[in-house]
Amino acid sequence: MTQVITPAMTTTALTAQALTKIVQDATGSLTILADIDISIESGETVAIVGASGSGKSTLLGLLAGLDVPSSGTVKIFGEDLFSRDEDARAALRAAKIGFVFQSFQLLPHLTALENVLLPMELSGHVPDGRNATDAARELLGRVGLGERLSHYPKYLSGGEQQRVALARAFVGRPPILLADEPTGSLDARTGEAVIELMFELNRERGSTLVLVTHDPGVAARCGRRIELAAGRIKL
């Protein structure tokens, strides 16, 4: 049976053109990324791979607007990210992107429930017009933490903290999810469970997934790989 491709199915979620990042160090200029051109379609799963120091995390941070390039452009669903000021970039990121950090980045003075509520409170957006607390409770239950809502991060294991971080990233139903070594701080067994959960949630939500990983097994689960070497895409 021939699949019918609709325009919505082929919407470009992320593009980067001539993306370059140069920093200054003690020896002068250091090029972290050079002339990166990529295009990622809506619904794709993409792994960014490469040796340590190849620029993977820097690229992901630029795609999210968490860092500013030395030159080049990033567009999110056609909207130019770096033509905006910092506040406007943050607003676009809040509306379109969920981010999962290797180090979890949970706020220690907030409970699991409050950490998941935070992005909705900051953006003022609750998916499907629902009650924010209900949405957060439901997703924490979905990741197996329905009995841990009132726990602070210091009372949660690493795997539990990363599941809170996943819930926080997914709760607003962002069309794009970026993940930077999401299992890098976890043991192998816990990491495998977290990756399975992330892919399962991503399939359910139909979002675009871009993740940085050093794990070939995780990369193999993605539909496409982008390999970096010394700050350039390896052809």
Side-chain angles (χ1 to χ4, degrees), residues 60-174:
L60 204 69
L62 291 173
L63 293 177
L66 296 172
D67 193 7
V68 178
S70 302
S71 60
T73 62
V74 171
K75 292 183 179 180
I76 298 174
F77 293 105
E79 298 186 62
D80 191 330
L81 186 57
F82 295 111
S83 67
R84 300 164 175 248
D85 63 24
E86 186 174 346
D87 288 343
R89 285 199 305 274
L92 180 59
R93 182 168 57 246
K96 303 293 185 183
I97 294 175
F99 204 106
V100 181
F101 298 89
Q102 175 179 335
S103 55
F104 320 137
Q105 297 289 337
L106 301 179
L107 295 182
H109 61 285
L110 298 182
T111 65
L113 180 63
E114 290 167 341
N115 267 284
V116 176
L117 280 168
L118 187 62
M120 293 185 289
E121 292 175 346
L122 293 175
S123 68
H125 169 70
V126 182
D128 306 322
R130 304 173 61 201
N131 176 275
T133 301
D134 288 345
R137 285 177 178 274
E138 180 181 316
L139 198 48
L140 280 167
R142 177 71 182 76
V143 301
L145 294 175
E147 304 301 317
R148 310 281 273 171
L149 304 180
S150 61
H151 286 65
Y152 291 93
K154 67 180 180 180
Y155 298 117
L156 300 173
S157 69
E160 288 173 331
Q161 289 186 57
Q162 191 59 295
R163 282 186 278 158
V164 173
L166 281 180
R168 181 183 59 189
F170 276 103
V171 73
R173 294 185 178 271

Side-chain angles (χ1 to χ4, degrees), residues 176-192:
I176 300 170
L177 181 73
L178 305 179
D180 188 8
E181 296 278 13
T183 62
S185 299
L186 305 176
D187 62 79
R189 183 177 178 181
T190 304
E192 184 177 345

